[in-house]
Amino acid sequence: MDIYEKRRQSICEWLCGHDLDAALIGEPRTFLYLTGVAISPAERFMGIVLDARNGRHVAIAPKLEELNMRKCSTEQYLFSDGEDPLDILEPLLKDRKIGVQMGGGFQEHYSMALGKRIFQRYGLDIVDLTDLLNQIRLSKDETELMALRESADKLCQMFEFIRKRLAPGKSELELSMDMFAETYRLGGTDYMIPCILSGTAAASPHGQASNKILQKGEQVLIDCSIDYQGYWADMSRTFFLGKPTPKMREVFQVLIEAQQAAFDAIKVGEPICTIDQAARRVIEKAGYGPYFNHRVGHGIGLSIHEAPSVDGKNQDLILPGMYHSVEPGIYIPGEFGMRIEDDAYATEHGPLILSEGMRRDLDYMVLPF
């Protein structure tokens, strides 16, 4: 039994225990989690039916994905354009009590209004599986840990690449395009548009790269994510184009201490909120509390943002295998913004920091201009 079969089996066991006959799952990342196949179906239908009563697993996808679907070990139905996937689904779903992943909007995952048509045609008794699937994906197994390490290694290489290209006179947008191209040179299969912000522009945590020209003496905040073979890594670094001011040095040191406090708080069995609170206490004690205006992290895996939300109110417990960002930031309007972000994997013996391959100490962040 391969890892994908084990994952499907665990869902079927839950279905049986909750008086459900089958599950219909079509969200692309969860489809990848259950089959090992990455597909972007656009407006076409894609999904997998897990029959908990007879153990039959049927993947349904557009026929144009035939080569990709060879990686999938389940029974398959591939339909051509013009065929109605409901004709395939009908014998699998009719008169059954069905669990469906509905998070993000049912019709978003079942395109061409197929979700509404399923309700109208079958009148199915449907239960939302979103919370269950989020919980199953929350703890990453050893196979996933290996994939996450590879993705983090690629992202570290990305940051080493861009560090060598930073210089006064280049534009934020030019550097962003360099990183875009490097993503694919490294073998990345997807990306988030790199956030490259310099000087006062970096005081906006989610600002976008522009034609602004980098200046000597400025700090440069870079936030980049990469998807390598289905799993994401996310990292931020703050570089300095020449000697930083005393205030910049102070803020940078506060962030280093806040991030370490958050790492120290990653203890299996403790509430997730303690991670955010630990970092926030350091920043508030230094007098910069009002300038840290976002949660300290978010879950990472098959999606760049997934459970858990690492915020100051999340009372859920830290689980072994939980993987998330730790990214304290300080953003002072009209002056500058800084963030340091790394990815942590929770174990019984403390966190593994998978992005440690890219240094974050001040000496390395200061470039000699």
Side-chain angles (χ1 to χ4, degrees):
M1 183 183 295
D2 66 19
I3 187 65
Y4 304 109
E5 176 67 20
K6 289 179 181 178
R7 293 169 182 171
R8 296 192 296 266
Q9 187 64 35
S10 68
I11 294 174
C12 286
E13 290 172 1
W14 186 93
L15 294 171
C16 288
H18 289 77
D19 195 31
L20 292 172
D21 299 309
L24 172 60
I25 297 166
E27 192 275 317
R29 290 287 170 167
T30 308
F31 186 88
L32 170 60
Y33 182 77
L34 296 174
T35 66
V37 178
I39 293 177
S40 296
E43 77 279 7
R44 298 175 177 87
F45 174 78
M46 174 194 74
I48 184 168
V49 175
L50 307 181
D51 193 316
R53 302 305 178 189
N54 62 23
R56 186 184 182 194
H57 304 162
V58 182
I60 303 156
K63 191 171 181 60
L64 56 84
E65 299 289 350
E66 186 171 4
L67 288 179
N68 288 327
M69 289 299 294
R70 289 179 182 177
K71 303 173 189 175
C72 179
S73 61
T74 69
E75 181 181 345
Q76 300 174 23
Y77 281 104
L78 304 181
F79 63 92
S80 300
D81 287 349
E83 292 186 85
D84 190 343
L86 282 187
D87 293 337
I88 300 170
L89 289 168
E90 182 167 9
L92 301 174
L93 299 180
K94 192 174 182 181
D95 300 323
R96 317 298 297 280
K97 188 174 181 181
I98 307 297
V100 175
Q101 182 178 9
M102 299 176 72
F106 186 62
Q107 287 180 227
E108 177 183 326
H109 298 157
Y110 300 94
S111 51
M112 299 173 65
L114 190 62
K116 184 177 181 180
R117 292 173 59 211
I118 288 173
F119 281 115
Q120 291 174 339
R121 183 157 164 177
Y122 303 142
L124 293 174
D125 184 3
I126 286 181
V127 174
D128 187 3
L129 295 183
T130 302
D131 289 344
L132 166 69
L133 293 168
N134 285 343
Q135 188 67 28
I136 288 174
R137 281 175 50 179
L138 197 60
S139 291
K140 277 62 177 177
D141 56 35
E142 288 296 321
T143 300
E144 291 179 289
L145 176 58
M146 291 175 60
L148 292 167
R149 282 189 185 279
E150 290 182 344
S151 184
D153 288 345
K154 294 294 182 182
L155 190 52
C156 289
Q157 293 176 46
M158 171 76 80
F159 270 85
E160 293 290 1
F161 162 82
I162 200 62
R163 179 181 181 272
K164 295 174 183 177
R165 300 185 69 82
L166 288 174
K170 293 190 176 182
S171 75
E172 295 172 350
L173 196 56
E174 174 188 358
L175 293 165
S176 179
M177 291 301 98
D178 287 344
M179 295 184 78
F180 170 80
E182 185 69 2
T183 295
Y184 291 98
R185 193 193 70 78
L186 289 169
T189 49
D190 202 352
Y191 72 101
M192 295 288 286
I193 296 175
C195 171
I196 300 181
L197 303 168
S198 58
T200 59
S204 173
H206 276 184
Q208 294 183 340
S210 71
N211 287 318
K212 180 185 177 301
I213 302 300
L214 274 59
Q215 305 294 325
K216 182 177 179 180
E218 286 184 325
Q219 95 296 343
V220 184
L221 169 58
I222 301 180
D223 186 340
C224 184
S225 310
I226 188 171
D227 174 347
Y228 183 70
Q229 297 184 351
Y231 282 84
W232 285 89
D234 196 8
M235 191 191 308
S236 299
R237 290 290 185 269
T238 301
F239 298 91
F240 300 89
L241 303 180
K243 185 178 179 181
T245 67
K247 187 172 183 179
M248 287 179 175
R249 286 180 173 273
E250 177 186 353
V251 169
F252 188 89
Q253 185 59 36
V254 169
L255 290 178
I256 289 289
E257 293 174 5
Q259 191 187 50
Q260 187 58 54
F263 289 154
D264 293 343
I266 300 174
K267 298 177 180 178
V268 170
E270 294 295 317
I272 291 172
C273 61
T274 60
I275 304 170
D276 181 284
Q277 292 165 0
R280 204 166 297 276
R281 278 195 298 270
V282 173
I283 294 173
E284 289 175 347
K285 184 178 179 180
Y288 293 103
Y291 306 114
F292 180 25
N293 51 18
H294 57 74
R295 62 187 176 179
V296 82
H298 56 84
I300 304 170
L302 288 166
S303 301
I304 182 58
H305 279 221
E306 60 182 45
S309 176
V310 189
D311 60 61
K313 296 187 181 296
N314 190 342
Q315 294 293 324
D316 293 342
L317 300 184
I318 300 169
L319 301 175
M322 190 176 288
Y323 189 59
H324 58 83
S325 66
V326 177
E327 48 183 301
I330 293 174
Y331 315 93
I332 305 175
E335 295 189 45
F336 56 76
M338 299 184 194
R339 180 165 64 251
I340 302 173
E341 176 183 12
D342 289 278
D343 302 337
Y345 180 89
T347 78
E348 296 286 358
H349 307 291
L352 301 176
I353 312 305
L354 301 192
S355 50
E356 280 191 324
M358 178 62 195
R359 288 171 57 182
R360 55 185 178 271
D361 58 282
L362 183 59
D363 287 345
Y364 195 66
M365 296 297 105
V366 176
L367 305 178
F369 293 109

